[in-house]
Amino acid sequence: MTDFSNYVLITDLDGTLLPHNKIVSDKDLTAIERFKSCGGIFTIATGRIYQATEQFFDILKPNAPVLLNNGGLIYDINKSQALYSCYLDSSSIDYTIELMEKFPEIGVEINTMDNIYVVRMTEWEKRHLEMTHLPYTEKSIDEIKNEKWCKVLYSIEGGRMHLLEEYVKQMGWNKTSFTASGEFLFECLPLNCSKGKALKKLVEICNWQDYKIAAAGDYDNDLTMLQYSDIAFAPANAQDVVKKSASYVTKVTCENGAIAEAIEYIEKVCKVK
């Protein structure tokens, strides 16, 4: 029998494990279950908040804590306990107000641990909400400025994303982090918050120093995680910059079982016994 007991596999969700319809394929599920049954440790790292991720816990049954909020939260789903969390500096309020003034077309969503607040509804924000199917409340920034913000999600037409990124770089804001997390999604995160740093923290928490860490991702916000890992996977549909950081680019996309192919790679190429 194959022995994966020295391996941790951590994967991004959207665009890596999850196809366009957001339904995990039977091919991937079967491979993940086999990986775990043969001793492997499997978990997820996503930009999604808890409310947008919990539907997958019973489906995927991670056997380790999960990384949420692009690394802002490490959560033990078995104990229903946060093992690590960080929140935005109050400067994110000023940054958000300025971006709303500079880019009147951007949608703006504020995520806290318990709520999703939409402070500007646009066509692009509606698209995002339709993808998540989660309840939300429309409020002004003033109404929620005293709450703990996990992240701010900006949505903008894909062709204008670079203008938003360039503006943030020009401003030199240094009290938060920014990253693109999708074709039309841009996020403001706690300073030094990333999937890579959270994965490093998780390795320390779980004492995985002697394990081989395999990670899979498709977008900018996955880069630090891939760079930290021992084996980095990118699905065929990943951004070119992500493919360049990968140890192996799968032949198939997220639509056709990229994670199953990654597990097969670990078994065959890494000579797991």
Side-chain angles (χ1 to χ4, degrees):
M1 176 182 284
T2 301
D3 182 6
F4 290 113
S5 60
N6 195 43
Y7 282 84
V8 175
L9 174 59
I10 183 165
T11 180
D12 169 55
L13 287 181
D14 301 280
T16 305
L17 176 59
L18 295 183
H20 183 71
N21 65 9
K22 307 304 178 188
I23 299 174
V24 184
S25 71
D26 289 340
K27 185 176 182 180
D28 281 331
L29 276 178
T30 299
I32 291 167
E33 284 306 311
R34 187 171 68 87
F35 179 79
K36 291 187 295 180
S37 68
C38 293
I41 297 173
F42 172 81
T43 190
I44 56 177
T46 178
R48 290 177 177 235
I49 57 176
Y50 178 87
Q51 300 95 314
T53 313
E54 61 177 333
Q55 61 184 299
F56 297 105
F57 295 160
D58 286 339
I59 297 170
L60 297 170
K61 297 179 175 59
N63 54 359
V66 297
L67 305 188
L68 308 175
N69 302 352
N70 271 320
L73 175 65
I74 299 176
Y75 193 81
D76 187 326
I77 61 176
N78 293 318
K79 297 180 179 179
S80 299
Q81 177 183 354
L83 304 180
Y84 167 80
S85 61
C86 53
Y87 299 94
L88 281 164
D89 183 87
S90 60
S91 60
S92 60
I93 298 173
D94 296 329
Y95 297 166
T96 298
I97 291 171
E98 181 161 346
L99 288 175
M100 289 178 71
E101 292 175 351
K102 181 67 177 180
F103 298 90
E105 76 274 27
I106 63 170
V108 181
E109 176 184 314
I110 312 296
N111 296 154
T112 68
M113 275 294 294
D114 300 313
N115 296 291
I116 299 171
Y117 298 115
V118 175
V119 299
R120 179 187 280 163
M121 183 68 77
T122 65
E123 173 191 351
W124 298 98
E125 175 58 19
K126 286 179 182 177
R127 290 194 185 191
H128 173 64
L129 292 169
E130 287 170 0
M131 289 167 54
T132 60
H133 303 291
L134 293 172
Y136 63 90
T137 304
E138 293 192 52
K139 287 196 174 185
S140 68
I141 287 180
D142 280 344
E143 291 178 289
I144 58 174
K145 65 182 180 181
N146 293 323
E147 295 195 34
K148 289 184 176 181
W149 294 10
C150 295
K151 69 176 183 177
V152 184
L153 186 68
Y154 309 104
S155 52
I156 190 170
E157 191 272 317
R160 289 181 56 78
M161 174 72 79
H162 70 284
L163 298 177
L164 185 58
E165 293 179 295
E166 289 171 4
Y167 184 79
V168 168
K169 288 179 182 178
Q170 290 172 2
M171 295 305 297
W173 291 331
N174 58 9
K175 294 185 178 180
T176 63
S177 300
F178 291 87
T179 185
S181 58
E183 181 182 358
F184 59 91
L185 299 175
F186 190 64
E187 301 188 11
C188 176
L189 300 165
L191 188 63
N192 295 321
C193 173
S194 72
K195 290 185 180 182
K197 291 186 178 180
L199 177 53
K200 182 178 180 181
K201 183 73 173 178
L202 183 60
V203 168
E204 295 170 357
I205 291 172
C206 297
N207 294 313
W208 290 340
Q209 289 83 359
D210 295 329
Y211 285 72
K212 290 288 186 182
I213 308 297
D218 72 306
Y219 220 80
D220 281 3
N221 58 323
D222 298 311
L223 281 171
T224 56
M225 177 175 71
L226 298 183
Q227 290 162 355
Y228 175 80
S229 64
D230 298 301
I231 311 168
F233 294 106
N237 56 281
Q239 287 182 304
D240 287 342
V241 66
V242 177
K243 290 179 180 178
K244 290 177 181 178
S245 293
S247 310
Y248 179 75
V249 178
T250 63
K251 296 179 177 62
V252 300
T253 69
C254 62
E255 302 290 329
N256 298 292
I259 294 305
E261 185 179 334
I263 291 171
E264 183 178 340
Y265 176 95
I266 294 173
E267 183 174 19
K268 292 184 178 180
V269 178
C270 299
K271 303 187 186 304
V272 175
K273 303 297 184 184

